[in-house]
Amino acid sequence: MTSSDILAGLNEQQVEAVTAGEGPVLVLAGPGSGKTRVLTHRIAYLIEKHGVRPWHIMAVTFTNKAAREMENRIVGLLGDSGKIDGLSIGTFHATCARILRREADFTPPFSSSYTIFDTADQLAAMKRALADLNLDPKKNTPNSMLSRVSAVKNELLGPGDVAANDYRAEIFQRVYEHYNSLLRASNARDFDDLLMHTVLLFRNHPDVLERYQRRYPFILVDEFQDTNIAQYTLVGQLVAHHRNLFAVGDPDQSIYAFRGADHRNVQRFRQDFPDTQTILLEQNYRSHQAILDAAMGVIDRNPGRIRKQLFSKDTEGPLLVLKEAYNEDNEAQFIIDTIIDLTNRGEYGMGDFAIMYRTNAQSRALEEAFLRAGIPYRLVGATRFYARREVKDVLAFLRLIHNPSDIVSLQRVINLPPRGIGQKTQQTLDAWAQELDVTSGEALLYLLDEDPEDAPFSGRSRSTLARFAELLRSWLEQRDTLTPVELLSLVLEDTAYLNYLDDGSADGQSRVENVLELRGVASGYDGLDLTTFLEEVSLVADTDTRDDDTQAPTLLTLHSAKGLEFPVVFITGLEEGVLPHSRSIEAVEESADSSAIQEERRLLYVGITRTEQRLYMLYTFRRSLYGYSDTNRPSRFLYDIPESVFEYSDLRQRGQATTDARAYREMTTWAQTTTPRPPRSSKTKPARFKAGTVVWHKKYGEGVVVGSRARGDIEEVNVLFPGGSGEKTIMADFLKPVDQD
Ligand code: ATP
Ligand code: MG
C-alpha cells in the first residue's frame, strides 16, 4: 500500500485536508461530506507517507464503537495491523482514564487501581454525602445535586471555585466538597473526574504535560462541535507547543448541550489559533439531493449560523415519505409493513433499517410491534424498556400483590422508596419466616394480623415493618376488584414512588416518563385481570434479550444516531411535544429561550442526514406516551421542509397545513426575535459578484455570473458554466473573479 492509494477515492478538498501540513487544521463541513473518512485517511497517511510512529498519534472519537471502526478502517488502508501498534484511538474518557492510571504517582491519594464510578455508584455516594451532612434529600435531591456536580466539573470548577454567595449555593458547595471526599476515600473517580483530573494533573505538573506533548505530536478529534470546556481545555494543553491539532466537526450537528457540549468551541478554536487552516468539504456522499433539501429546510431556520449548501451528485434517489398514522401502534405497524415489503422485494436486508425517536419511552410501542411480528431488532444506547430499573420496580410491586410469597419481589420493594427497613431488619425477617416455616411476605402479614409477642424485632423496626404490611394488606384486599391500571395507580399513590423518582433532574424525569408509559400499557388491560397482565408483560420481557450481531433493524434515539448512516431511516413521533420535546417548547413559552428549540432542530437535522436512500418521516394523530393519550399537531419542523422532496405527504393532504405553517412561523419567529442574543447586522452587504462577471470555480472551471443574492454575511451566486455543467448556485467564497484585462 502506498500513500497514493490512501488518497485514491478522495475528492480534491478531502485530499487537501488529508495532506495538510503541520499546524492547526479545522475541517468544517456538513453531514456525510467525509469528515470522519478524512480523519481516518489522515492517520493512515501520516503513518505511511510521513513515517509518523503510530504511538505518536492520538485520535479522539465520540464513542468506543466509533473508535473500533476507525481502527479497522486504518488497518484496511495500511494493509497490516502491525502498522498501527501503539496508536491511541478512543473517547476522551477512555484516553484520560489510561493517563490517570499511568500517572498515579502524581495524583495522590488515587492509586493506579482506582475505580470508575458508574451512575448507580455515584448516586449511592451522593446519598451518603447528603446523609452525612444532615441534609434533607427531598429538598436537595441526589440526582439534581449530581447533575450540578457534573455541570461544574465539566467547566473545571472545583468546590473552592463555585460561588457560595447565598444559602443554597453554600449548601451545594458543601455537598460537592463532601461528595468528592467520599470518592477520594473510596479511591474512585466519576466520569467527569476523568477529564477534570487529567486537566489538573497537566496544570499542576508541567513536566508531566510536556511528556505527553512530546508523546503525542499529532492529535486528531472527530465530532469537535460536541466537546465541552474540560475536553477543549485538555486538547489545548496537549497541542500548546506543536499545535498539530486536526479537528473535524459541524456546528449544525451539536446535540449534546445537556452534557455541557458547547458548539462555540469551534469558534473559540479559530480565535485561540488564528493561523488555523480551515478546510470546507462541499460534496455529500451519503445521501441523495432530496434528503439534503429536506435537511436544509429544517436547519436553515436556525438563527445565527453560517448557511451551508449541501449538495450531492446523486439526484435520482427515491423521494421521501411523510406519513400520518392514527396512533403509535399504527406508526409501528407501518414501519413493520414497510420493512417487510422492502425486504421481500429483495431491495434491502434486515440490517439496512434504522428507526429513530426522540425519547426512550417511545421505543416501547416499537419494540412490541417487532416482537409481535417476530422480527428481531437491535436496541442501541438504552436499557430495554422492561429491563429498566423503574419499570422493574413497579412490576415487582404488582407481582408481590399477585403473589405475596414472591420473595424476590418482596426484597425489591420492601424498602422502596426507602422507608427505614434496613438490611438487618430484612435478614431478621427472613430468619423468623424460616422459623415459622412460611415465606417472608406471609410472615409480614402474620406480624400485622396477629401481633405475636415473640417476634424478634425492636420497637422501631417492628413498627416500620407493620406499616409496610398494612400497605400490602390493603392492596391484597383490593386486588380482585380493581383493574390492573387501577392497582398500579394505587401503588404509585400509596408509595409516592413517582415523587421518589422525580428529583428535578432530566434523568429522574425520564424515569417518571417510563413509569407513566407502563401505566399506559396497563390501561390496555381493562376488563382483564392482573394475572393476564403480568404474564404478558413477563413474556415480552423474557424474549427481550437478543443477540446483538444479528442482521436486524436498529432502534435508536436521535442522539445516539450521530455519525452513523443507514440505507433506510424511519424518524418517528414528528409531533409538537415529542419533537420538539415539550420541555423545549416550555422554555420558549416561559422564558423566551429558544436555544432548546434550536437544539431540537439540530437533532432532527442529524436524524434526516443519517439516510442514504429512503427516508420515512412519521407523525401520529393521537399518541399515548407517558400513560396519557392526546391528539397532537404535526411538528413545526415539518412545515419547513419543501413539499417537492416528498413522493407522498399526508401533510399536503391536510387542508389546514398552510394556516398551521403560518402560526408556527409566527411563534418561532417571535421566539427567535425575543431571545436576547448579540445583535446581528441587519444590514446586508452589497453583493460582491455582479451579473456578467467572469468567475473561476475549482471544479466547474470558468463561468459567468447570472445573478447574486447576499443575505447577512452569506452571498449565493448563480453561475452559468459553459462546459456542460449548466447553472449552479455557489457560495461566493468558492468563486474567484477572473481578471479580464
Ligand atoms: P457526519 O457529519 O454525519 O459524521 P461525515 O462528514 O463524518 O458525516 P463520513 O461518515 O466520513 O461523513 O462519510 C459519509 C459517507 O460518504 C461514508 O460512507 C463515506 O465512506 C462516504 N464518502 C466520503 N467521501 C467519499 C468519497 N470521496 N468518495 C466516496 N465515498 C465517500
Ligand atoms: Mg462523521
Side-chain angles (χ1 to χ4, degrees):
M1 182 88 14
T2 67
S3 53
S4 64
D5 292 329
I6 293 171
L7 300 179
L10 297 174
N11 70 32
E12 213 176 310
Q13 293 150 330
Q14 291 176 333
V15 169
E16 189 187 347
V18 169
T19 60
E22 305 210 334
V25 178
L26 184 59
V27 179
L28 277 187
S33 57
K35 295 183 298 298
T36 303
R37 182 172 163 116
V38 156
L39 195 144
T40 311
H41 282 243
R42 183 171 169 88
I43 295 172
Y45 185 78
L46 288 172
I47 294 173
E48 192 70 38
K49 170 82 201 279
H50 291 289
V52 174
R53 303 295 188 189
W55 55 88
H56 281 158
I57 300 174
M58 178 194 287
V60 183
T61 55
F62 203 71
T63 63
N64 294 307
K65 186 161 165 269
R68 283 196 301 276
E69 276 174 20
M70 193 174 284
E71 223 166 55
N72 289 337
R73 297 244 161 93
I74 299 169
V75 171
L77 285 170
L78 295 176
D80 174 5
S81 64
K83 288 192 179 173
I84 64 159
D85 279 348
L87 180 67
S88 163
I89 302 191
T91 61
F92 275 111
H93 289 102
T95 305
C96 288
R98 274 198 307 271
I99 295 177
L100 290 170
R101 290 208 194 283
R102 223 178 287 135
E103 307 303 331
D105 287 350
F106 298 91
T107 58
F110 298 94
S111 78
S112 63
S113 57
Y114 72 89
T115 312
I116 300 172
F117 266 7
D118 68 9
T119 322
D121 304 325
Q122 278 183 273
L123 195 62
M126 182 52 84
K127 283 181 180 160
R128 166 88 191 279
L130 293 171
D132 287 354
L133 295 173
N134 286 318
L135 290 168
D136 182 354
K138 286 201 196 68
K139 285 196 195 116
N140 309 284
T141 64
N143 274 313
S144 66
M145 283 287 164
L146 281 175
S147 313
R148 288 182 66 184
V149 165
S150 172
V152 293
K153 282 185 177 177
N154 282 329
E155 296 200 14
L156 299 172
L157 302 173
D161 306 318
V162 298
N165 42 19
D166 63 27
Y167 176 67
R168 287 188 64 82
E170 195 224 336
I171 292 221
F172 172 68
Q173 191 185 42
R174 279 168 50 208
V175 170
Y176 182 18
E177 167 88 64
H178 190 55
Y179 166 82
N180 271 357
S181 72
L182 289 177
L183 262 64
R184 269 200 306 277
S186 324
N187 190 25
R189 291 182 163 106
D190 63 23
F191 255 59
D192 304 308
D193 283 338
L194 297 177
L195 302 174
M196 181 169 176
H197 288 189
T198 308
V199 170
L200 294 179
L201 162 71
F202 288 159
R203 230 177 238 175
N204 300 333
H205 299 278
D207 47 325
V208 177
L209 174 58
E210 212 188 306
R211 249 196 296 123
Y212 281 87
Q213 288 168 336
R214 271 205 303 270
R215 164 76 199 255
Y216 296 114
F218 296 93
I219 302 216
L220 304 94
V221 184
D222 197 4
E223 305 278 3
F224 192 70
Q225 77 281 353
D226 271 325
T227 50
N228 62 32
I229 302 263
Q231 292 161 341
Y232 184 81
T233 309
L234 181 71
V235 169
Q237 289 175 322
L238 287 170
V239 304
H241 289 306
H242 57 68
R243 304 163 63 76
N244 288 328
L245 173 57
F246 186 91
V248 311
D250 176 7
D252 286 334
Q253 295 187 64
S254 176
I255 53 173
Y256 278 89
F258 69 100
R259 281 202 207 139
D262 188 347
H263 60 279
R264 284 168 304 183
N265 283 338
V266 172
Q267 214 35 51
R268 221 165 265 150
F269 180 103
R270 292 211 262 194
Q271 279 157 17
D272 292 351
F273 301 93
D275 56 330
T276 294
Q277 184 185 351
T278 305
I279 297 173
L280 310 173
L281 307 178
E282 275 183 287
Q283 182 175 345
N284 178 302
Y285 288 90
R286 178 181 296 143
S287 319
H288 57 84
Q289 192 59 43
I291 291 162
L292 299 179
D293 289 344
M296 282 189 285
V298 169
I299 201 69
D300 277 350
R301 291 184 48 75
N302 260 359
R305 54 182 284 279
I306 299 173
R307 213 154 164 256
K308 280 195 296 276
Q309 195 67 27
L310 306 181
F311 95 91
S312 167
K313 285 208 169 143
D314 184 359
T315 49
E316 300 294 305
L319 293 180
L320 288 60
V321 171
L322 176 56
K323 174 83 185 148
E324 176 180 292
Y326 174 67
N327 62 17
E328 71 280 4
D329 292 326
N330 297 86
E331 180 185 64
Q333 196 53 47
F334 173 84
I335 294 170
I336 301 275
D337 292 346
T338 309
I339 290 176
I340 291 175
D341 182 43
L342 289 176
T343 46
N344 279 350
R345 282 199 260 150
E347 289 181 33
Y348 299 97
M350 278 294 177
D352 290 338
F353 302 95
I355 299 104
M356 300 175 189
Y357 37 83
R358 173 68 180 84
T359 64
N360 279 316
Q362 285 170 261
S363 74
R364 201 263 314 157
L366 293 164
E367 288 183 63
E368 289 190 358
F370 274 98
L371 289 165
R372 263 197 312 272
I375 301 177
Y377 61 91
R378 305 187 314 140
L379 189 70
V380 176
T383 326
R384 279 160 195 265
F385 183 75
Y386 288 107
R388 285 170 190 146
R389 188 233 321 159
E390 59 279 10
V391 173
K392 282 181 132 168
D393 284 346
V394 175
L395 287 175
F397 277 111
L398 294 181
R399 290 216 167 87
L400 183 65
I401 297 169
H402 182 241
N403 170 19
S405 307
D406 178 344
I407 46 171
V408 175
S409 294
L410 176 68
Q411 194 186 5
R412 189 165 182 110
V413 301
I414 191 167
N415 196 33
L416 188 82
R419 52 173 64 87
I421 304 178
Q423 207 69 48
K424 223 173 123 245
T425 308
Q426 289 182 44
Q427 281 161 2
T428 316
L429 174 67
D430 293 345
W432 185 54
Q434 251 180 3
E435 250 174 63
L436 296 174
D437 199 27
V438 294
T439 64
S440 301
E442 288 159 345
L444 204 54
L445 294 170
Y446 174 67
L447 181 75
L448 175 74
D449 295 341
E450 308 296 333
D451 199 15
E453 270 182 33
D454 56 353
F457 307 102
S458 71
R460 205 182 134 267
S461 47
R462 186 175 181 132
S463 62
T464 48
L465 282 174
R467 240 174 292 141
F468 182 69
E470 263 171 53
L471 276 180
L472 183 58
R473 169 62 71 210
S474 91
W475 295 333
L476 289 172
E477 281 164 358
Q478 301 176 74
R479 179 179 66 188
D480 296 324
T481 51
L482 298 183
T483 63
V485 68
E486 285 167 342
L487 260 182
L488 195 155
S489 302
L490 181 70
V491 167
L492 293 180
E493 198 177 301
D494 285 349
T495 56
Y497 180 67
L498 292 183
N499 289 351
Y500 163 72
L501 288 182
D502 187 11
D503 45 36
S505 73
D507 185 46
Q509 187 56 37
S510 109
R511 288 184 188 281
V512 169
E513 289 169 358
N514 286 331
V515 172
L516 297 179
E517 180 69 12
L518 180 66
R519 189 167 68 180
V521 176
S523 65
Y525 287 82
D526 274 0
L528 297 171
D529 60 9
L530 187 60
T531 317
T532 314
F533 172 64
L534 288 176
E535 190 181 286
E536 295 212 13
V537 163
S538 50
L539 285 178
V540 172
D542 268 348
T543 43
D544 219 12
T545 37
R546 286 180 184 281
D547 188 3
D548 245 22
D549 21 82
T550 47
Q551 281 295 310
T554 305
L555 269 56
L556 73 177
T557 62
L558 288 160
H559 277 107
S560 48
K562 213 172 77 147
L564 306 179
E565 54 192 19
F566 301 90
V568 184
V569 170
F570 299 88
I571 301 179
T572 66
L574 283 158
E575 295 136 42
E576 288 291 297
V578 181
L579 181 65
H581 195 282
S582 50
R583 265 200 306 270
S584 306
I585 298 175
E586 278 157 24
V588 175
E589 285 165 358
E590 283 164 16
S591 50
D593 176 4
S594 69
S595 59
I597 292 275
Q598 289 168 32
E599 180 127 336
E600 304 270 340
R601 241 180 222 291
R602 291 194 291 267
L603 204 47
L604 176 56
Y605 178 72
V606 167
I608 293 174
T609 55
R610 301 308 93 201
T611 315
E612 292 172 0
Q613 293 158 23
R614 289 181 184 271
L615 176 60
Y616 296 85
M617 306 179 87
L618 297 130
Y619 63 93
T620 62
F621 169 71
R622 169 181 288 280
R623 177 178 298 275
S624 305
L625 192 64
Y626 319 140
Y628 296 99
S629 175
D630 218 337
T631 55
N632 287 325
R633 293 197 291 173
S635 167
R636 64 187 73 186
F637 302 144
L638 292 175
Y639 298 95
D640 298 324
I641 300 176
E643 280 193 358
S644 57
V645 304
F646 292 112
E647 168 197 332
Y648 175 88
S649 162
D650 274 322
L651 213 51
R652 191 159 46 198
Q653 259 104 61
R654 280 166 61 123
Q656 92 271 35
T658 35
T659 6
D660 274 5
R662 202 174 313 127
Y664 288 128
R665 289 252 154 78
E666 274 160 18
M667 198 169 138
T668 43
T669 314
W670 171 80
Q672 281 160 8
T673 47
T674 46
T675 310
R677 56 190 160 85
R680 254 195 313 160
S681 104
S682 55
K683 221 176 58 204
T684 291
K685 285 193 205 141
R688 272 195 286 155
F689 291 97
K690 304 239 160 31
T693 312
V694 178
V695 291
W696 194 80
H697 183 265
K698 252 188 182 171
K699 186 159 71 227
Y700 301 114
E702 227 173 60
V704 182
V705 173
V706 292
S708 182
R709 248 185 329 169
R711 248 184 273 156
D713 289 340
I714 307 293
E715 182 179 352
E716 285 176 345
V717 190
N718 292 339
V719 187
L720 187 65
F721 293 98
S725 309
E727 193 183 314
K728 306 263 174 222
T729 306
I730 291 170
M731 276 163 63
D733 290 350
F734 293 104
L735 295 171
K736 282 202 197 85
V738 175
D739 254 339
Q740 284 189 296
D741 309 348

